[in-house]
């Protein structure tokens, strides 16, 4: 099988922090090793010679580079079809598309249908949803909901972080188009899948914590912005510091401009971002962590990372987290509903021994959070391809005979030899039947498609 991967990226070129790229690395590891992936990535990766980070995802990856814009809107709107076609001539095949930019689904469908005469299975991954909740987070990032709806309709499947995330999408649709009639029937629940970015296991190289004189480290591993409500957290610890000085509030967002001022103003605050090979050590040696996120969110990696690496986490009792931890019997131990309850739980944890998170991390009911099974996507893709094969195409027997006669033959030679039979317009269904029904081998080591039986 030959998949195409379409990725997005945020304004700053931090691909190693971008949810799209991080999740794709996780996702590609779940696919068979004999698949040949073509990954559409910004040309900055080529210019900086940083392909190695991506190549770790799978043993068989090619790249297509596209011009990298720094505008978030252009990232979501621009479509580099010419770059794709130049890299994928008719001698190659694309069986399915993993699309992290749902706004581009309609363009992808049209491109492959008209220029390559292919109808690959498309799965969208909605990392961001344009909806009422996200507009409160940032009005500048909105304005693409109609393209997201088009993407949902044009794709075979669309994956959301959770039922809650899908509900945001559906509710936005209902607010704009109503909740009855043919329009809402386009938003089919059987086309919606879940995708869950796994928690990251960070390195445990030691760092020197002796300067804190045995004080308990409380970790705030979130950005310092309006949605994380960090100022409320600082106020709580400032109140506590007047009566006790047995803690350090460690904030990891060292890039924030307010960081230097905060550290100078509050003696209990330490701001530092450590390398990934040391981050696990910091998390594991923190007494607990605090999440106070109250803005738009459909997933929270920082909270999961803390628990996974050995640090108990306090989490706001909001829809996204209720959905994430709905199967856990002791979820109330995480949750806080207001500032006073958060303060009370912080005091309780400061007065208690450090909580071992192994029982949380290894709980079977939370396996979908910490060890998600991404193999469902390959299963869905194969099911969809089998459904699309249909009846035996005309002249299929001639294609089969030609492969057997030659032992191994390229798609180029097949098409050129049988052009009068017009099998090129039907070739994708023939290809799928060859591979899935007649056990033909698609040699994915070569960039141009070759077949043998």
């Amino acid at each position: 099988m030959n998949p195409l991967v379409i990725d997005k990226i945020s304004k700053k070129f931090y691909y190693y922090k971008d949810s799209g790229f991080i999740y794709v690395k996780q996702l590609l590891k779940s696919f068979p090793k004999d698949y040949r992936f073509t990954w559409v990535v910004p040309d900055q990766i080529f210019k900086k010679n940083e392909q190695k980070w991506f190549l770790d995802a799978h043993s068989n990856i090619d790249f297509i580079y596209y011009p990298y814009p720094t505008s978030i809107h252009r990232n979501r709107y621009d479509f580099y079809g010419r770059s794709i076609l130049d890299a994928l001539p008719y001698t190659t095949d694309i069986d399915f598309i993993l699309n992290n930019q749902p706004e581009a689904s309609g363009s992808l469908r049209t491109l492959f249908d008209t220029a390559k005469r292919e109808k690959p299975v498309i799965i969208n991954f909605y990392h961001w949803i344009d909806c009422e909740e996200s507009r409160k987070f940032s009005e500048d990032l909105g304005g693409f909901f109609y393209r997201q709806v088009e993407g949902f309709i044009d794709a075979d499947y669309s994956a959301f972080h959770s039922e809650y995330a899908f509900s945001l999408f559906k509710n936005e649709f209902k607010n704009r188009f109503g909740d009855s009639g043919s329009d809402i029937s386009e938003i089919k629940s059987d086309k919606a899948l879940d995708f869950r970015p796994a928690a990251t296991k960070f390195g445990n190289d030691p760092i020197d914590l002796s300067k804190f004189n045995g004080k308990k480290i409380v970790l705030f591993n979130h950005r310092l912005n309006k949605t994380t409500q960090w100022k409320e957290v600082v106020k709580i610890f400032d109140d506590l510091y007047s009566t006790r000085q047995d803690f350090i509030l460690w904030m990891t967002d060292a890039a924030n401009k307010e960081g230097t001022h905060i550290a100078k103003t509050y003696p209990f605050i330490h701001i530092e971002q450590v390398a990934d090979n040391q981050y696990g050590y910091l998390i594991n040696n923190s007494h607990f962590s605090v999440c106070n996120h109250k803005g738009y969110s459909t997933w929270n990696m920082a909270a999961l990372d803390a628990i996974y690496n050995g640090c108990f986490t306090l989490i706001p009792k909001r829809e996204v987290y209720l959905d994430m931890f709905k199967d856990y019997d002791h979820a109330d131990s995480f949750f806080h509903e207001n500032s006073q309850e958060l303060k009370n739980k912080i005091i309780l944890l400061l007065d208690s021994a450090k909580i071992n998170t192994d029982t949380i991390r290894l709980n079977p009911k939370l396996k979908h959070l910490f060890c998600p099974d991404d193999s469902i996507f390959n299963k869905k893709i194969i099911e969809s391809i089998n459904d699309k094969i249909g009846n035996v195409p005309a002249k299929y027997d001639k294609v089969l005979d030609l492969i057997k006669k030659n032992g191994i033959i390229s798609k180029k030679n097949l098409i050129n030899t049988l052009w009068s039979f017009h099998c090129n317009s039907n070739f994708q269904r023939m290809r799928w039947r060859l591979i899935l029904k007649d056990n033909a081998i698609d040699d994915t080591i070569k960039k141009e498609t070759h077949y043998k039986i």
Side-chain angles (χ1 to χ4, degrees), residues 13 27-28 37 74-76 100 118 203 205 214 228 255 282 302 309 323 407 415-416:
F13 189 68
L27 179 60
L28 265 55
F37 285 92
R74 282 190 60 194
N75 269 304
R76 300 184 69 194
N100 288 274
E118 292 179 343
D205 292 352
T228 61
L282 171 62
N309 287 272
D323 191 82
I415 294 293
N416 290 345

Side-chain angles (χ1 to χ4, degrees), residues 4 38 40-41 43 63-67 79-89 111 447:
L4 179 71
T38 302
V40 182
V41 295
D43 55 6
F63 295 105
I64 296 176
Y65 301 104
Y66 68 87
F79 179 71
Y80 300 102
R82 187 73 260 168
S83 298
I84 294 174
L85 289 181
D86 287 346
L88 299 174
L111 179 76
K447 184 168 185 177

Side-chain angles (χ1 to χ4, degrees), residues 300-357:
N300 193 304
M301 290 301 303
L304 292 179
D305 286 344
I307 296 171
Y308 194 63
N309 287 272
C311 183
F312 186 81
T313 302
L314 294 175
I315 303 171
K317 195 171 185 178
R318 295 182 53 242
E319 294 92 337
V320 57
Y321 305 111
L322 289 169
D323 191 82
M324 289 171 67
F325 292 97
K326 62 186 176 183
D327 297 323
Y328 184 51
D329 296 333
H330 306 290
D332 283 344
S333 62
F334 299 136
F335 293 143
H336 56 88
E337 295 192 66
N338 52 58
S339 182
Q340 186 59 52
E341 186 174 9
L342 175 58
K343 183 176 183 179
N344 292 341
K345 289 203 169 187
I346 288 172
I347 293 171
L348 178 64
L349 290 175
L350 285 173
D351 290 338
S352 306
K354 177 179 167 67
I355 295 174
N356 188 321
T357 61

Side-chain angles (χ1 to χ4, degrees), residues 252-269:
T252 58
D253 188 4
N256 190 284
K257 294 180 180 179
E258 292 190 70
T260 302
H261 170 72
I262 298 167
K264 290 180 178 178
T265 304
Y266 301 98
F268 56 87
I269 288 181

Side-chain angles (χ1 to χ4, degrees), residues 154-191:
D154 285 334
D156 296 87
Y157 293 102
S158 287
F160 298 83
H161 283 139
S162 61
E163 284 292 331
Y164 169 68
F166 187 39
S167 73
L168 293 179
F169 182 79
K170 289 190 293 185
N171 289 339
E172 183 69 16
F173 188 95
K174 291 176 182 178
N175 290 340
R176 292 173 184 247
F177 303 107
D179 58 0
S180 62
S182 59
D183 289 335
I184 192 64
S185 66
E186 296 282 2
I187 310 302
K188 300 178 176 67
S189 295
D190 59 357
K191 289 181 61 175

Side-chain angles (χ1 to χ4, degrees), residues 31-91:
F31 285 94
K33 299 301 181 186
D34 62 349
Y35 282 17
R36 181 187 186 89
F37 285 92
T38 302
W39 200 340
V40 182
V41 295
D43 55 6
Q44 291 274 58
I45 293 162
F46 173 74
K47 293 175 182 177
K48 296 184 177 182
N49 197 27
E50 295 182 324
Q51 293 94 330
K52 185 180 183 303
W53 187 90
F54 298 83
L55 292 171
D56 290 340
H58 195 271
S59 57
N60 202 0
I61 295 177
D62 278 337
F63 295 105
I64 296 176
Y65 301 104
Y66 68 87
Y68 168 60
T70 57
S71 162
I72 293 176
H73 286 299
R74 282 190 60 194
N75 269 304
R76 300 184 69 194
Y77 189 84
D78 283 3
F79 179 71
Y80 300 102
R82 187 73 260 168
S83 298
I84 294 174
L85 289 181
D86 287 346
L88 299 174
Y90 80 95
T91 56

